[in-house]
Every structure is written in C-alpha cells, then in structure tokens.
Amino acid sequence: MKIHLEADYKSYTAFYPVYSFDGLLIAVELLTHFSHSTANVAMPQEMLLPQMDSEQRILLLQSQIASIEKHHDFFRQQGVKVTLKIDDITSQAILDSDFLAKKLDALEWLELEINESFPNLNLGKDHPELMALSERFDLSLENYGSGKAPSKAVYDDLFYRIKLDKGFIKHNINKLSFKPFISTVLDHIKPHCHQIIVQGIDDLSGLEKISHFQFDGIQSALFSPVGEDALSSLIHPPKELQGLPH
C-alpha cells in the first residue's frame, strides 16, 4: 500500500507485544509504519495520520484489517488479542459501514483501541458512538492518566483493557509516593475492566519495581515489535520477565 501525501510513502505492519509478568503473550498491538520512497526513514502512523484525509484513513484501516485477517488463525490458536487503533473518523466509518462492521465482527480476537483524546470521551456511556462501539466490540483505552479526559468512561465499564499513560508512569515511578498512589489507582479502576496494562517501563530497574504491583500485563520498549513474518516468535517469553516476583 502507498499513501500519497506530499510525497510517496510505503507502509509496513508491525506487531507490538503485550505480555503478562510471567511471560505469556496476551495481546499484540498492530501499528503501521511508513517509510519515504526516497529515504530510509521510518515514521509511525501517529505522526503521519494527521496529514491523511478521511478516505486515506479508511484505506489504512482496511489494509490493517486485511493484515489481521491474514493472521487470524494465529490469534485464535494462541488466544491472543489483536489491538487496532481507531479515531473518531475511523470509528464513525465502522458504525456507518455494514461492510466494515461485518468484517470486524468476524474477527473474534479483535480489540479496538482509542485514546484519551477521543472527542467527548468525558460523556462515557452517554456518548452514542462510543456506546455503540462498546456494545459491539471489545474496547481498549490507551494513555489513561494523561489528564486529557476525566474517568467517567472508565467508571461506566466501557473498556475491556486499560493502558496507563507512559508519561504518567515515567514521571511518578521514582517518587516515594508512587507505591500508595499507584495502588489506589489500581484499586479504583480494576473493578471496571478486565485488564490493566502498564506502559512507559523502558529499563530493567523500572521493570523490577513495577512487577510488585497488580498489573495484568506490560507493553514496553524492552520487548521489540516484529513484522508479519515473525509474528509467531512473540509467543516465546522474553528473558527480561524471567524470575520476576509478580
């Protein structure tokens, strides 16, 4: 797939692993990276997405759905969720298109992910679009705790999985107040979702610290993403998670 913006970009798919603290692969996040046709420079989709119009975003979504369909047997056999990022434009396209919705309905291990910047997230279950999505698909909330939205949508039980904000963790993990603070956060949101994932842990010292808390999993720069041809390699437990006290 090529996206024509100011110049041509080629795209490729990467899968980012989410592991439990005992090394079990519990989910992968699908992201598309772009490289300029005349330079060996890769850009993540969040950098290029603002430059895309609605049609280009929907084409990207369709390409990502095709990648999930291609590997759906892997997700089913391994019991691994696959997370697909959506925004207000692509979420509305899913709700408006029977074709797209039925394609997604057929992917039983699919999870749709929004972030705290999703328009009017503060409405929670009173958000018609968000409520319609949550009734049809498993939803994940990324960067919870970034301060961009109140917690109403979380307390309205709209999300299967909640990922804590990377910056929030990085900023607080070395503070003396972190232990009672994060324990309180977990106690408050655990009743309202199935899993809480920690992000922003990018070194072994932080990994050891965070392993003492009751997170259900971790997504980290310590665990490299892979391309489509190496997806099955992610089922092997990372050495960094061996021997942790979780």
Side-chain angles (χ1 to χ4, degrees):
M1 175 185 173
K2 280 191 176 182
I3 298 221
H4 300 275
L5 299 172
E6 293 182 2
D8 288 342
Y9 289 84
K10 293 180 180 179
S11 65
Y12 63 94
T13 299
F15 292 100
Y16 287 73
V18 179
Y19 289 104
S20 68
F21 279 86
D22 58 4
L24 179 69
L25 181 68
I26 56 177
V28 295
E29 181 178 348
L30 186 157
L31 288 176
T32 301
H33 293 277
F34 297 88
S35 59
H36 195 284
S37 59
T38 60
N40 188 26
V41 178
M43 297 175 61
Q45 69 181 49
E46 58 263 29
M47 291 183 64
L48 207 56
L49 206 60
Q51 302 178 49
M52 296 182 187
D53 60 26
S54 296
E55 182 179 355
Q56 289 171 326
R57 293 188 189 201
I58 293 169
L59 285 172
L60 174 61
L61 175 68
Q62 291 174 327
S63 173
Q64 292 173 328
I65 292 171
S67 294
I68 295 172
E69 290 174 330
K70 179 180 176 182
H71 300 285
H72 193 247
D73 283 347
F74 169 82
F75 303 125
R76 179 176 53 82
Q77 291 165 8
Q78 299 297 328
V80 170
K81 289 269 193 178
V82 55
T83 300
L84 182 60
K85 288 181 178 291
I86 59 171
D87 57 18
D88 54 320
I89 292 174
T90 47
S91 64
Q92 193 61 59
I94 291 167
L95 293 173
D96 290 344
S97 168
D98 285 341
F99 174 76
L100 282 177
K102 286 178 180 178
K103 277 182 124 5
L104 296 178
D105 281 340
L107 303 173
E108 70 263 34
W109 293 98
L110 177 71
E111 188 174 274
L112 299 179
E113 184 169 278
I114 66 171
N115 63 37
E116 280 201 346
S117 298
F118 195 84
N120 299 314
L121 181 62
N122 59 298
L123 295 177
K125 64 184 179 181
D126 297 321
H127 190 308
E129 182 180 317
L130 189 59
M131 193 65 186
L133 287 170
S134 71
E135 289 175 343
R136 191 161 187 172
F137 307 104
D138 284 340
L139 297 184
S140 173
L141 177 64
E142 187 189 28
N143 73 323
Y144 176 70
S146 67
K148 295 180 180 178
S151 298
K152 177 172 168 51
V154 170
Y155 295 137
D156 283 347
D157 303 333
L158 295 181
F159 300 104
Y160 178 91
R161 193 189 319 268
I162 294 172
K163 298 179 179 180
L164 293 197
D165 180 62
K166 295 178 185 179
F168 170 80
I169 295 295
K170 286 178 179 292
H171 182 71
N172 290 288
I173 191 169
N174 291 316
K175 294 182 178 180
L176 292 175
S177 59
F178 182 73
K179 182 175 181 179
F181 180 64
I182 203 66
S183 296
T184 299
V185 170
L186 290 170
D187 287 345
H188 275 82
I189 62 177
K190 264 188 175 293
H192 301 285
C193 64
H194 286 79
Q195 292 183 348
I196 303 175
I197 306 300
V198 65
Q199 299 182 107
I201 303 297
D202 298 332
D203 57 50
L204 294 178
S205 173
L207 181 61
E208 198 281 331
K209 287 179 183 177
I210 209 69
S211 67
H212 293 275
F213 298 95
Q214 295 303 307
F215 287 100
D216 300 291
I218 179 170
Q219 186 170 354
S220 168
L222 290 169
F223 317 127
S224 299
V226 300
E228 292 188 77
D229 58 343
L231 179 59
S232 61
S233 69
L234 294 178
I235 64 175
H236 303 296
K239 64 181 185 301
E240 293 86 354
L241 292 175
Q242 295 176 9
L244 287 176
H246 198 71

